Amino acid sequence: MYKINLVNQNTMIEYGGGRLSAACEKAGYPLNLVCGGKGTCGKCRVEVIRGGRREKVLACQEEVTEDLDVCLTDEQLSRSAEIMTEGRSDSEIKLRPAITKACYNCEDLIPEHCGAYLTYRDVRLLRKFSILMADPRVKQVTFTRFCGEPIGAEAGDTTDQIYGGAVDIGTTSVVLFACDLKTGKLLQTESALNGQISHGADVISRILHTMQNETGLEELRSLIVSTLNGLIDRVEKKIPGFSQHLYHMILCGNSTMQHLFLGLNPSGLSADPFVNVTSESVRIKGRDSGLNMCEFGNVEFLPLLGGFVGADTSAVLLSLPCNDKHHLMIDLGTNGEIGVRTDNGYMVCSTACGPALEGGNISCGMRGTNGAIEKIWIRGDEVTYRVIAGEDPIGLCGSAIIDAVAELLRAGVIDSTGRMLTAEEYRKAHPGSTLADRIGESEPGIPAFFFTRGSRPVYLNQKDVRQIQLAKSSIYSGCITLIDEAGLTLEDIDAFYLAGAFGNYIDVDNALSIGLLPPIERNRIISIGNGAGQGVRMCLLDYDLMAECCRMAKKVSHLELAATPRFMEEYIMNMNF
């Protein structure tokens, strides 16, 4: 056994050997393995001390063969990010929850001579009720019903405590909306990074982890359950009794997140024909979910729409205006899901835009946490930016990456093919401009534009621009192809809805200018925030909408972009700016 001393966390563990990243996870400090532990992203680079000397190593590649002192920074330990939790207005949501309660005096429940208390057949409910009625201290019993059917009994009058949770499980982040099901009030919103990121930033990395490791599926299920329980516990601290009286949880997430939460083997999603174990809505009991909630409560996962297009897209589509207009929707996150309303329902697809738009695979990319540059302007020779929390800049988050490309394109630092000019080329093309002083090399032969310098410079280099080109072409081409396959044109689109955190924070004009979004009139583009969170909360508060969501899912047709010749043509054609 080796001793791993996490110096800055004052924590020491014994470790039998293996990757340093696994040791950090065992100690309770999982690292963000964007590349899934392949050693390509460099995001898990940590400082270790051995033999009195400090050195930097990639934790996902470093084999522990001796005692080590490990120095983890605050940034590496950040388990939170600026996560989109707000959605559209609740004004049109009716309060018709699945959960109701009724309290009865015990003496009023006593049956006639030789009668029986209850006609219910649920043996767990009967056992609980029999114990309550045999206890002389219990004077009242509260029955909890799900869609009118009794599911549990509790001592005393607990009719004022009826709680529910709506959850958006993202590949990167998880949001819990804690609701009072008696009043419909949103009590609290809690969010955190998905604990599964320690096994990769994208769904493919996580699917491979379940296929290559015997306990991989259970590990990833345990991580998401732990993440959710952490959010529930946060609410419990502010609202005592919340978890005990949490009777209904409705969840959404992409297809992989559904499989991993339910403990379903996701290997069918790893290769063509990309099949799910089930696309139906799934219901399980609280006692079987692993969640910190009432044991007889219910947990439900919204229906999937096909392939990698999951229940989060179902929730977003449910949250959109219900009318006969043609609208386009894109949920920009770690994955890109696109939907277009046709005359017969919806056509949907997913596009593998990769983690670049959220800071992954970008040299100075990071999530939207403290210290991340979130907004960039270049006016003439003046470069200005805004940093989250007003701290010293340490990297670029997704919205700033889009700004950076758009502004450098306008300034002529990047040409239409995506090539970044050298300082000498820029001075020749723009004599007298001081922007040339910001152009250097991040590594030999790789031009880079520096927004800050010093011991920890923040820059965008040529490789980063190429990553953005791949991502933006994938999204743009996916939209164009889907609209075409639906028999529509851009002119037919009445409204273009941007959902998700990325869609809410980006500068839409900059996104249009680099070809990330199709050229739809600006006044028809609407950011709706966390549409998935809004849709799943609508189902929790008005359970009739759960049935509507399931009916809608039956009318959705799924398009496999990779098998569509038009997409491949568009993808190549739209690579340039």
Side-chain angles (χ1 to χ4, degrees):
M1 300 293 284
Y2 306 109
K3 292 182 179 180
I4 305 298
N5 179 28
L6 302 179
V7 179
N8 297 330
Q9 289 68 50
N10 195 29
T11 300
M12 180 177 288
I13 64 166
E14 290 190 342
Y15 186 53
R19 299 292 172 89
L20 179 56
S21 56
C24 293
E25 182 177 350
K26 179 182 177 182
Y29 300 101
L31 301 174
N32 183 11
L33 306 185
V34 171
C35 63
K38 300 181 182 68
T40 57
C41 71
K43 302 297 183 183
C44 68
R45 195 179 305 278
V46 300
E47 187 174 70
V48 299
I49 305 173
R50 49 185 157 203
R53 299 182 60 183
R54 292 176 178 264
E55 59 180 290
K56 293 285 186 72
V57 301
L58 290 177
C60 71
Q61 301 297 304
E62 182 70 15
E63 291 286 341
V64 176
T65 58
E66 59 184 319
D67 295 346
L68 281 179
D69 288 335
V70 183
C71 304
L72 299 183
T73 64
D74 290 340
E75 179 194 347
Q76 289 168 322
L77 296 181
S78 176
R79 309 310 297 160
S80 63
E82 196 166 277
I83 295 169
M84 189 68 219
T85 57
E86 296 303 319
R88 298 172 62 218
S89 170
D90 298 338
S91 59
E92 297 182 5
I93 302 177
K94 295 180 180 179
L95 184 60
R96 292 179 293 203
I99 299 293
T100 56
K101 278 186 173 184
C103 180
Y104 301 89
N105 293 322
C106 290
E107 60 184 27
D108 295 335
L109 293 173
I110 298 175
E112 295 180 356
H113 182 67
C114 294
Y117 281 110
L118 305 176
T119 58
Y120 312 140
R121 298 180 180 180
D122 184 339
V123 70
R124 288 180 182 268
L125 172 58
L126 294 175
R127 288 171 182 167
K128 178 66 174 180
F129 178 75
S130 68
I131 293 171
L132 294 176
M133 293 302 291
D135 189 339
R137 295 168 298 177
V138 177
K139 305 300 181 185
Q140 292 179 307
V141 173
T142 296
F143 284 95
T144 301
R145 293 181 170 85
F146 182 86
C147 294
E149 291 293 322
I151 57 173
E154 299 168 323
D157 184 352
T158 65
T159 53
D160 283 338
Q161 294 174 290
I162 315 178
Y163 302 128
V167 179
D168 174 16
I169 301 179
T171 309
T172 302
S173 57
V174 182
V175 182
L176 164 66
F177 299 92
C179 299
D180 186 326
L181 297 184
K182 186 173 183 179
T183 65
K185 181 181 178 182
L186 175 62
L187 299 173
Q188 202 168 317
T189 302
E190 294 290 346
S191 59
L193 295 180
N194 188 330
Q196 296 172 344
I197 62 173
S198 61
H199 292 288
D202 58 90
V203 295
I204 297 301
S205 296
R206 298 180 200 177
I207 292 172
L208 290 176
H209 182 74
T210 68
M211 297 171 64
Q212 296 169 355
N213 298 274
E214 187 175 344
T215 60
L217 177 57
E218 184 52 40
E219 286 174 14
L220 291 178
R221 170 167 158 71
S222 177
L223 285 169
I224 186 55
V225 168
S226 178
T227 299
L228 288 170
N229 282 335
L231 299 180
I232 293 171
D233 292 346
R234 281 195 227 165
V235 179
E236 175 71 27
K237 289 179 181 178
K238 298 178 183 178
I239 307 175
F242 173 78
S243 57
Q244 178 186 351
H245 299 287
L246 177 57
Y247 303 102
H248 198 191
M249 296 275 284
I250 300 184
L251 287 65
C252 72
N254 64 45
S255 303
T256 306
M257 294 304 103
Q258 180 245 41
H259 283 64
L260 297 181
F261 172 77
L262 296 175
L264 307 178
N265 191 312
S267 60
L269 287 166
S270 65
D272 190 64
F274 306 108
V275 295
N276 295 290
V277 173
T278 180
S279 60
E280 303 294 319
S281 61
V282 178
R283 182 190 303 167
I284 58 176
K285 282 295 182 183
R287 68 176 70 93
D288 300 320
S289 69
L291 298 178
N292 295 339
M293 64 180 295
C294 179
E295 65 171 358
F296 57 76
N298 285 317
V299 180
E300 298 185 84
F301 215 105
L302 294 185
L304 310 182
L305 299 181
F308 286 99
V309 186
D312 48 353
T313 305
S314 299
V316 174
L317 297 181
L318 184 69
S319 75
L320 298 180
C322 185
N323 53 43
D324 295 327
K325 294 182 179 292
H326 295 130
H327 50 242
L328 178 68
M329 180 284 300
I330 182 165
D331 190 350
L332 289 173
T334 308
N335 302 297
E337 287 84 28
I338 309 169
V340 63
R341 185 180 179 87
T342 68
D343 294 332
N344 301 315
Y346 278 98
M347 180 178 285
V348 300
C349 68
S350 62
T351 179
C353 53
L357 299 180
E358 292 191 329
N361 296 342
I362 302 297
S363 304
C364 295
M366 61 183 293
R367 305 196 195 283
T369 57
N370 292 357
I373 296 177
E374 61 174 346
K375 181 65 184 170
I376 293 173
W377 300 268
I378 298 179
R379 298 295 179 265
D381 287 347
E382 184 179 1
V383 178
T384 57
Y385 48 79
R386 184 174 66 231
V387 183
I388 295 176
E391 298 186 2
D392 291 336
I394 56 176
L396 301 166
C397 70
S399 58
I401 292 169
I402 299 304
D403 288 344
V405 174
E407 295 289 3
L408 293 177
L409 191 60
R410 290 191 194 102
V413 177
I414 298 172
D415 68 20
S416 62
T417 69
R419 190 178 76 87
M420 184 176 286
L421 275 61
T422 65
E424 182 179 349
E425 289 173 328
Y426 192 79
R427 286 194 181 94
K428 184 176 180 180
H430 301 82
S433 173
T434 58
L435 289 182
D437 298 336
R438 291 179 173 270
I439 303 174
E441 291 186 346
S442 57
E443 54 186 281
I446 305 298
F449 186 90
F450 288 79
F451 296 97
T452 70
R453 296 213 183 243
S455 60
R456 186 167 186 175
V458 178
Y459 57 85
L460 191 79
N461 69 18
Q462 181 66 78
K463 292 180 179 179
D464 301 331
V465 175
R466 297 305 186 201
Q467 288 292 324
I468 295 299
Q469 287 181 275
L470 295 173
K472 73 97 181 175
S473 183
S474 181
I475 293 168
Y476 182 101
S477 303
C479 290
I480 296 298
T481 303
L482 189 67
I483 292 172
D484 181 67
E485 291 289 328
L488 302 172
T489 66
L490 286 174
E491 289 70 30
D492 294 324
I493 302 300
D494 298 296
F496 182 12
Y497 295 100
L498 301 181
F502 187 72
N504 191 74
Y505 291 123
I506 61 171
D507 185 307
V508 174
D509 291 321
N510 283 342
L512 287 167
S513 73
I514 69 170
L516 174 66
L517 304 177
I520 292 174
E521 291 180 15
R522 182 65 181 82
N523 60 3
R524 287 188 282 158
I525 302 177
I526 305 165
S527 294
I528 62 171
N530 189 349
Q534 175 69 4
V536 74
R537 187 151 57 103
M538 289 167 62
C539 291
L540 179 69
L541 297 179
D542 182 358
Y543 197 63
D544 286 355
L545 293 177
M546 182 71 175
E548 182 179 328
C549 184
C550 293
R551 287 194 298 271
M552 179 195 68
K554 298 293 185 184
K555 297 180 181 179
V556 171
S557 59
H558 178 268
L559 175 67
E560 179 56 45
L561 286 179
T564 309
R566 173 70 186 271
F567 174 74
M568 299 311 297
E569 293 173 5
E570 292 285 345
Y571 184 65
I572 295 170
M573 289 173 55
N574 296 308
M575 199 70 71
N576 289 349
F577 295 113

